[in-house]
Amino acid sequence: MIRVLLAEDMSMVRGALMALLAYEEDLEVVADVERGDQVVPTALEVRPDVAVLDIDLPGLDGLRAAAELHEKLPGCRTLVLTGLVRPAHLRAALSARALGFLGKDAPARELAAAIRKVAAGERVVDPELALAALDTRENPLTPRESEVLRLAALGDSVSEIAARLFVSTGTARNHLAAAVAKTGGRGRVDAIRIAEEMGWLPAVGPDRSR
């Protein structure tokens, strides 16, 4: 019997996943949590074989929870689920020592099979996503350009960005223009969209993570 810990903040999705896994005779969900900061304490208590983690969790995101889980309970393997598949998330998941990475739209049979493979120490990654990650170009933005674009994504004006970063308005405007040019966007909004899809921006807050 493979013991599974399930972490998903949306109760309806969590319930659906638990119901699907209940049909698998060799899988048992021994705990379910709705926050990322509950993953490690719960895992240390119930000792699952596999932790299935949503990538977007409150308190602590699934990637950081996976990294912490690997450090505190290395015998527990991790499978990361995401509703918004981005190549940058795949690279981050692998860096967090997750063995599996799947979209939430994967068929139930595929999820169950992935859990079994991860429990056996095998890596499971959607082939199309893996190819997309290989084709993704490196982040062309400097740390300052990324930060300026992040603040713009939050709705800050150029003057507000300048004040936050303690630079002149002209300098902030130049950084923003450089970021737009490097992403290949048609303007600020398009540049933000491209950078977010490519995983080039720092986290912009819990309301923008999905």
Side-chain angles (χ1 to χ4, degrees):
M1 183 69 70
I2 298 172
R3 296 165 58 82
V4 179
L5 181 150
L6 180 62
E8 163 61 54
D9 64 322
M10 298 180 67
S11 58
M12 185 176 295
V13 176
R14 189 169 68 254
L17 290 173
M18 292 176 64
L20 289 171
L21 295 178
Y23 284 103
E24 306 297 328
E25 295 182 356
D26 59 335
L27 305 180
E28 179 186 7
V29 178
V30 294
D32 63 283
V33 299
E34 61 183 4
R35 295 177 56 86
D37 50 13
Q38 296 172 330
V39 169
V40 172
T42 303
L44 290 173
E45 180 181 348
V46 302
R47 301 282 167 165
D49 301 304
V50 177
V52 179
L53 310 179
D54 180 18
I55 202 169
D56 295 316
L57 292 171
L60 189 71
D61 67 66
L63 297 177
R64 287 187 293 166
E68 187 177 332
L69 186 58
H70 178 76
E71 179 183 347
K72 300 288 180 61
L73 192 64
C76 176
R77 276 75 182 253
T78 304
L79 172 64
V80 174
L81 298 181
T82 180
L84 185 60
V85 178
R86 292 174 176 167
H89 285 168
L90 170 58
R91 294 195 298 272
L94 297 179
S95 296
R97 307 299 291 272
L99 282 182
F101 191 85
L102 287 178
K104 285 184 182 179
D105 57 351
R109 249 181 227 180
E110 188 173 332
L111 172 60
I115 292 174
R116 294 184 184 100
K117 289 181 179 179
V118 167
E122 299 178 38
R123 191 177 297 285
V124 181
V125 178
D126 182 273
E128 292 185 8
L129 180 57
L131 288 175
L134 290 174
D135 290 339
T136 302
R137 60 191 174 108
E138 293 297 318
N139 185 356
L141 305 176
T142 66
R144 179 48 59 93
E145 289 163 355
S146 294
E147 180 64 12
V148 167
L149 203 57
R150 182 187 76 87
L151 293 173
L154 290 172
D156 286 6
S157 65
V158 172
S159 59
E160 289 171 330
I161 292 172
R164 283 179 182 268
L165 300 181
F166 303 102
V167 298
S168 69
T169 302
T171 298
R173 185 177 290 111
N174 288 340
H175 283 311
L176 188 55
V180 172
K182 287 182 179 181
T183 61
R186 295 184 296 274
R188 182 187 308 186
V189 174
D190 195 35
I192 291 169
R193 176 189 62 77
I194 293 170
E196 286 187 331
E197 288 180 354
M198 299 296 285
W200 293 341
L201 291 188
V204 295
D207 293 335
R208 294 185 61 86
S209 61
R210 289 182 181 274

